[in-house]
Amino acid sequence: MIQVTEPRRARLYEELSRESRRYLAAYVLFNQAVADHLGLHPTDVQCLSLLTAEPGPFTVRQIADMTGLTTGSATRLVDRLERGGYVMRAPDQEDRRRVLVSPVPERIARVTAVWDDLGQSWEALLGEHTDDELEVITRHMRRAHDLSHAQMEHLRSRPKPD
């Protein structure tokens, strides 16, 4: 926990900590609801989100790095998504030993339709902020993403508790 001596700052950190936990729990539960609605695993939904947020195609190793999964778990994830028709595998034209994974646009449209429907409410919420506030929120989210990945690596390098 952050040590703060200034009372207002300490109160703000405490409130931010509480609201962050509530926000993250709400997002995990929201993701579960989206996954349930689509008949997918929550990790599958997040992987599809990541695969459509960046230009691809991707190797399984890249998917493992993006999701924080082991390569074995990422392979099983890609297997599920391929069985569902959400992604396809193809040999890399530059290195035939590698396989590239790409989203299937027609099938991704099913997921995107749900996100678009729910996204209108998020747009209204974000519409309440100034451009400067949106820049701060975006910067925070980008830095939190990077920190989360660093923390995942840190956790993986440590022994598991008893």
Side-chain angles (χ1 to χ4, degrees), residues 19 43 58 81 84 86 118 134 138:
E19 292 305 320
T43 304
F58 303 92
L81 292 174
Y86 290 97
L118 299 171
L134 291 176
T138 301

Side-chain angles (χ1 to χ4, degrees), residues 35-119:
D36 290 347
H37 180 76
L38 293 167
L40 294 170
H41 188 278
T43 304
D44 299 354
V45 173
Q46 288 308 303
C47 182
L48 291 173
S49 178
L50 292 169
L51 291 177
T52 57
E54 302 289 336
F58 303 92
T59 65
V60 171
R61 169 93 240 142
Q62 289 170 313
I63 292 170
D65 291 343
M66 284 190 302
T67 60
L69 297 171
T70 64
T71 52
S73 293
T75 298
R76 289 188 294 280
L77 167 67
V78 171
D79 290 344
R80 284 194 310 270
L81 292 174
E82 186 176 39
R83 277 193 306 274
Y86 290 97
V87 299
M88 63 182 194
R89 288 179 165 114
D92 185 340
Q93 297 303 313
E94 295 176 17
D95 182 351
R96 303 289 285 174
R97 296 169 296 176
R98 291 186 344 163
V99 173
L100 298 175
V101 178
S102 301
V104 175
E106 300 80 24
R107 194 70 168 142
I108 294 295
R110 176 177 184 249
V111 179
T112 303
V114 173
W115 284 330
D116 288 348
D117 179 47
L118 299 171

Side-chain angles (χ1 to χ4, degrees), residues 4-5 9 12 28 32 35 42 45 59 71 94 101-102 104 106 119-120 131 134 138 142-143 146 151 155-156 162:
V4 180
T5 56
R9 188 101 175 159
L12 288 170
V28 167
Q32 180 69 57
V45 173
T59 65
T71 52
E94 295 176 17
V101 178
S102 301
V104 175
E106 300 80 24
Q120 293 172 6
D131 290 354
L134 291 176
T138 301
R142 188 175 296 119
R143 292 176 73 196
D146 294 344
Q151 295 288 20
L155 283 172
R156 282 191 201 98
D162 295 333

